Amino acid sequence: PFGFLRKYLGGKKITREDITKTKSLLIDHLVKKNVAPTVASSLAQEVEKDLSGATTQSFTSVEETSRKSLEKALVKLLTPNSSIDLLKEIQKKKNNNELPYVISVVGVNGVGKSTNLSKLAFWLLQNNYRVLITACDTFRSGAVEQLNVHVNNLKKLTDSEDGISHVELFQGGYGGADLVAKIATSAIQHAKKNGFDIVLMDTAGRRHNDAHLMAPLQSFAKAAKPDKIIMVGEALVGTDSVLQAQNFNKAFGAGRTLDFFIISKCDTVGDLIGSMVNMVYATGIPILFVGTGQTYTDLRTLSVDWAVRTLMS
Amino acid sequence: MVLADLGRRINSAVADVSKANVVDESVISGLLKEICNALLESDVNVKLVSRLRNKLKATIDAQDKPGVNKKKLIQKAVFDELCDLVDCHQSEIFKPKKKQTNVVMFVGLQGAGKTTSCTKLAVYYQRRGFKVGLVCADTFRAGAFDQLKQNATKSKIPYYGSYTETDPVKVAFDGVEKFKKEKFEIIIVDTSGRHRQEAELFEEMVQIGEAVKPNQTIMVLDASIGQAAEAQSKAFKESSNFGAIILTKLDGHAKGGGAISAVAATETPIAFIGTGEHVHDLETFSPRQFISKLLGIGDIQGLMEH
Ligand SMILES: Nc1nc2c(ncn2[C@@H]2O[C@H](COP(=O)(O)OP(=O)(O)OP(=O)(O)O)[C@@H](O)[C@H]2O)c(=O)[nH]1
Ligand SMILES: Nc1nc2c(ncn2[C@@H]2O[C@H](COP(=O)(O)OP(=O)(O)OP(=O)(O)O)[C@@H](O)[C@H]2O)c(=O)[nH]1
Ligand SMILES: [Mg+2]
Ligand SMILES: [Mg+2]
């Protein structure tokens, strides 16, 4: 896979200049994979550190060293530091009688929040939970009806006769930010009263660079007190992914960050999967799932191994 | 403003050259490097950037003779190359004609902004005196018809769609026929989001195209798209032969370089840009004026013609 390095390095002794050149080849390689140039440079710097110790060795060892060290850096980056075992956490709360567990999705426009929220619902229903989907996108036309269709589909697919797994929609129509907070609080009350284990809250897409649109996220988080806030980020997006992730990560005020990413539309980019690297690099927030299509089962745990292999290929 | 960062960086790189006492090889190579970095950081395709770099260098080398004003030469070369990137030579962008039927079909990746832009375009032409109708041929996405219906209703645009028919080809055909009979001048057909990796989805797009025979197909592209832009837009071009691009979400922070790569890869012009979620957030786009404004040179008439 790293043949491009061999082609460049030939069979000669390695010089300082070669390391610089190697670095720039690596950056090129990563940028082609949709890694942002700034992120690619930082990763290449780690390779440089490792290479500096191997200056006098042969070209194969330089190729090997840079490949291994980049691989190592990527594995380290993409492997979650904290637990991403959501079911376990939900179960813990259940045992403590602290349900409903509240999860909300946030992100920029059109990335796949509502769709991946529905996939999450499907997954939770399959694990025999009672799920209340809540329509906190009160802005975009058709947003409520979109969730209603999903809820009806999910009912048909998963409602069990014994009534254990069950899904419903909670909605309050369309309106402004006040309405959003109101819907969020009433949904939680409704869930408590009616024995729902989990409340999944959809939110409106918003531009991460617009303070007026980002500010309501704070009041939303106050009202909904989500156990988990998941940002849906899109595999298609380029360098803007860095700032998208950073701005959403700090949108909830002091002491509250994002908990997870779902990286959507991974099926649309082939091996150009760099945007997930950008988002994790920018924030240190782990990836809970990747979205790999438009049906309810297209939600996977990220295989770090696969991702790194794809990025190195 | 759109791509403003990129413009500022390129412009200041060019200005740096003129400040240098001697414009030698190393100054030129510094300039090229800075321009290329700026383009890459804006998501312009890697291959395109390296091609542009080589062409720029060749032009500058070839024309650099004693007596030639180097700053002007460089500025012009940069201008021409950037124009080449977004201009794509095909000057005739779709102009719908009154008193006849113009069918416009929207295509694009999932979530790019098709449905939103459909209504924006409908309103744009309605304000210019056309009789415009909207057809929802997206039978896949949950709530797609409701979305279009609510948008159309708010803007008082007649619409067609179905809650029960699942075949998008049939809905598209029926809707267009209905509006044709009623002498609508512009009929805009919204379709589902799709991507090149799923052949069936592309096949469906081809079939819708065959059913409605569009006078113009428009690809809607999200301005924040990265390196995947080239392959996706090329595939859409091959299957739908779209003749114009609407670039959306330019009110965001994205620098739009991915979209520029799509333009270059498909040699298709950007006709409109979307600058917000509201129905009037649509502007026409003129590449040459755009680049000259970007670099602060040439005639600085209004960038947008309304
Ligand atoms: N191919 C593919 N498409 C996806 C994936 N996830 C979502 N989509 C599609 O992306 C489009 C947008 O999805 P939505 O869920 O409506 O996105 P959103 O973020 O809720 O959009 P807004 O609420 O308008 O901001 C739809 O056409 C989905 O089917 C995925 O993993 N792969
Ligand atoms: N900020 C901003 N948001 C936009 C713009 N155009 C569309 N959007 C938003 O992007 C999201 C997706 O838009 P849609 O029109 O539903 O996209 P689509 O291409 O029809 O999506 P699918 O049908 O699912 O493929 C919505 O939240 C829109 O409000 C724009 O120019 N600026
Ligand atoms: Mg949504
Ligand atoms: Mg749509």
Side-chain angles (χ1 to χ4, degrees):
Chain A
F2 268 43
F4 64 87
L5 277 183
R6 188 173 317 145
K7 210 159 77 202
Y8 163 69
L9 291 165
K12 56 190 168 53
K13 234 176 161 183
I14 303 307
T15 63
R16 184 70 229 160
E17 208 176 63
D18 291 335
I19 293 184
T20 312
K21 178 77 185 174
T22 300
K23 219 173 114 186
S24 99
L25 286 170
L26 287 182
I27 293 174
D28 256 22
H29 176 78
L30 289 170
V31 171
K32 274 188 201 149
K33 298 279 183 182
N34 205 30
V35 176
T38 46
V39 177
S41 305
S42 315
L43 287 165
Q45 243 149 43
E46 307 208 7
V47 175
E48 185 184 21
K49 263 187 252 152
D50 284 353
L51 268 184
S52 305
T55 313
T56 54
Q57 289 167 31
S58 70
F59 75 90
T60 22
S61 88
V62 170
E63 190 197 336
E64 262 306 288
T65 313
S66 46
R67 194 175 55 78
K68 280 221 180 93
S69 103
L70 183 59
E71 226 169 61
K72 193 181 67 191
L74 287 169
V75 169
K76 188 170 153 229
L77 182 70
L78 292 175
T79 306
N81 284 324
S82 49
S83 163
I84 59 165
D85 192 344
L86 197 54
L87 291 177
K88 197 169 134 194
E89 286 194 38
I90 294 170
Q91 200 53 46
K92 205 165 97 194
K93 266 201 118 173
K94 184 166 192 161
N95 297 342
N96 291 342
N97 249 330
E98 289 168 352
L99 293 179
Y101 197 89
V102 180
I103 301 172
S104 70
V105 293
V106 299
V108 300
N109 303 91
V111 292
K113 292 175 294 300
S114 311
T115 307
N116 286 288
L117 177 106
S118 309
K119 296 182 199 173
L120 273 178
F122 180 73
W123 173 66
L124 293 165
L125 286 163
Q126 288 205 310
N127 282 283
N128 292 322
Y129 285 110
R130 291 170 56 83
V131 180
L132 186 66
I133 291 185
T134 306
C136 288
D137 178 355
T138 60
F139 174 74
R140 207 211 66 215
S141 303
V144 179
E145 288 77 6
Q146 180 180 14
L147 289 180
N148 196 36
V149 171
H150 282 306
V151 166
N152 286 333
N153 292 345
L154 289 168
K155 270 189 182 152
K156 280 185 205 130
L157 286 170
T158 60
D159 263 18
S160 55
E161 274 168 30
D162 54 14
I164 296 179
S165 68
H166 179 63
V167 60
E168 253 178 47
L169 178 68
F170 190 92
Q171 61 121 335
Y174 294 92
D178 294 348
L179 180 62
V180 173
K182 208 180 118 213
I183 293 174
T185 19
S186 349
I188 294 170
Q189 276 164 12
H190 180 85
K192 276 185 187 150
K193 222 186 267 162
N194 296 281
F196 282 95
D197 305 313
I198 294 157
V199 180
L200 292 180
M201 295 190 180
D202 193 19
T203 64
R206 64 197 80 227
R207 276 188 296 121
H208 64 92
N209 60 324
D210 185 330
H212 288 292
L213 295 174
M214 294 300 276
L217 284 177
Q218 282 200 37
S219 52
F220 169 74
K222 228 186 227 157
K225 294 187 201 62
D227 294 275
K228 292 286 181 255
I229 304 176
I230 302 177
M231 174 172 178
V232 179
E234 189 188 79
L236 281 165
V237 67
T239 54
D240 199 36
S241 46
V242 174
L243 266 179
Q244 285 182 8
Q246 280 170 350
N247 288 345
F248 271 95
N249 198 33
K250 60 181 189 218
F252 302 95
R256 187 68 171 102
T257 61
L258 296 168
D259 297 293
F260 297 122
F261 289 119
I262 290 179
I263 307 293
S264 65
K265 307 188 193 176
C266 288
D267 53 322
T268 69
V269 295
D271 62 350
L272 311 181
I273 58 167
S275 93
M276 67 173 76
V277 175
N278 298 339
M279 298 194 131
V280 175
Y281 185 89
T283 56
I285 301 294
I287 296 170
L288 177 65
F289 287 119
V290 291
T292 56
Q294 304 188 80
T295 67
Y296 298 120
T297 49
D298 292 322
L299 193 66
R300 307 278 159 81
T301 308
L302 174 71
S303 154
V304 175
D305 207 48
W306 167 84
V308 172
R309 238 184 304 121
T310 306
L311 286 163
M312 300 294 292
S313 71
Chain B
M1 181 61 220
V2 191
L3 294 168
D5 265 8
L6 175 61
R8 211 173 304 124
R9 278 185 66 174
I10 292 178
N11 213 10
S12 85
V14 174
D16 281 352
V17 171
S18 56
K19 264 187 246 138
N21 285 331
V22 198
V23 180
D24 56 12
E25 198 66 12
S26 82
V27 172
I28 301 280
S29 105
L31 166 84
L32 291 176
K33 196 164 172 200
E34 174 60 14
I35 290 178
C36 290
N37 282 344
L39 290 170
L40 284 175
E41 278 165 31
S42 310
D43 295 315
V44 178
N45 182 273
V46 178
K47 276 177 286 177
L48 266 185
V49 172
S50 90
R51 205 184 316 151
L52 180 135
R53 180 198 196 113
N54 294 338
K55 275 169 75 186
L56 256 183
K57 176 133 184 39
T59 312
I60 293 170
D61 286 352
Q63 294 180 13
D64 183 18
K65 300 184 188 90
V68 172
N69 179 330
K70 218 157 187 163
K71 188 196 167 189
K72 279 233 169 77
L73 163 65
I74 289 169
Q75 205 170 45
K76 177 154 190 325
V78 173
F79 178 77
D80 287 346
E81 286 308 321
L82 289 177
C83 271
D84 232 35
L85 270 187
V86 293
D87 202 1
C88 61
H89 323 291
Q90 184 192 321
S91 51
E92 196 46 45
I93 302 185
F94 173 66
K95 289 262 185 298
K97 299 192 184 71
K98 289 211 172 146
K99 297 210 163 65
Q100 65 187 55
T101 312
N102 304 271
V103 177
V104 182
M105 176 170 155
F106 273 53
V107 300
L109 289 160
Q110 290 91 350
K114 293 176 293 301
T115 307
T116 309
S117 305
C118 272
T119 314
K120 288 181 181 179
L121 194 68
V123 168
Y124 175 88
Y125 283 124
Q126 195 181 53
R127 283 166 87 192
R128 281 158 185 77
F130 288 88
K131 194 174 173 192
V132 192
L134 280 165
V135 177
C136 174
D138 179 356
T139 55
F140 175 79
R141 149 120 178 231
F145 181 35
D146 282 301
Q147 183 185 5
L148 181 131
K149 191 171 156 179
Q150 289 172 17
N151 281 342
T153 307
K154 267 182 226 156
S155 301
K156 302 194 172 58
I157 309 269
Y159 59 88
Y160 180 90
S162 167
Y163 284 113
T164 47
E165 178 56 61
T166 53
D167 179 6
V169 182
K170 180 156 188 342
V171 181
F173 181 81
D174 291 351
V176 169
E177 283 306 298
K178 174 183 180 283
F179 283 131
K180 263 187 184 165
K181 270 195 206 113
E182 295 168 11
K183 299 266 180 292
F184 275 69
E185 293 163 306
I186 296 180
I187 306 169
I188 299 175
V189 181
D190 185 21
T191 65
S192 307
R194 62 196 84 237
H195 55 293
R196 69 184 181 92
Q197 285 83 356
E198 254 188 80
E200 270 172 42
L201 295 182
F202 265 53
E203 178 53 32
E204 176 193 285
M205 171 172 72
V206 171
Q207 284 177 15
I208 296 174
E210 281 165 0
V212 305
K213 300 195 179 53
N215 304 80
Q216 173 73 299
T217 301
I218 295 178
M219 176 162 185
V220 178
L221 256 179
D222 185 325
S224 72
I225 191 169
Q227 296 289 330
E230 193 194 15
Q232 289 291 358
S233 60
K234 264 188 175 160
F236 272 93
K237 182 78 179 181
E238 272 165 32
S239 292
S240 76
N241 195 25
F242 60 87
I245 291 171
I246 292 181
L247 190 53
T248 61
K249 309 185 195 176
L250 272 164
D251 48 326
H253 177 270
K255 302 196 186 87
I260 289 182
S261 312
V263 169
T266 61
E267 303 202 344
T268 307
I270 298 170
F272 294 92
I273 57 175
T275 55
E277 295 192 69
H278 296 282
V279 72
H280 294 299
D281 298 331
L282 184 78
E283 297 169 10
T284 54
F285 182 80
S286 157
R288 287 207 151 245
Q289 281 177 15
F290 168 66
I291 297 290
S292 49
K293 176 114 176 193
L294 199 68
L295 298 178
I297 53 174
D299 65 272
I300 313 199
Q301 320 169 7
L303 184 53
M304 313 303 168
E305 4 169 88
H306 281 279

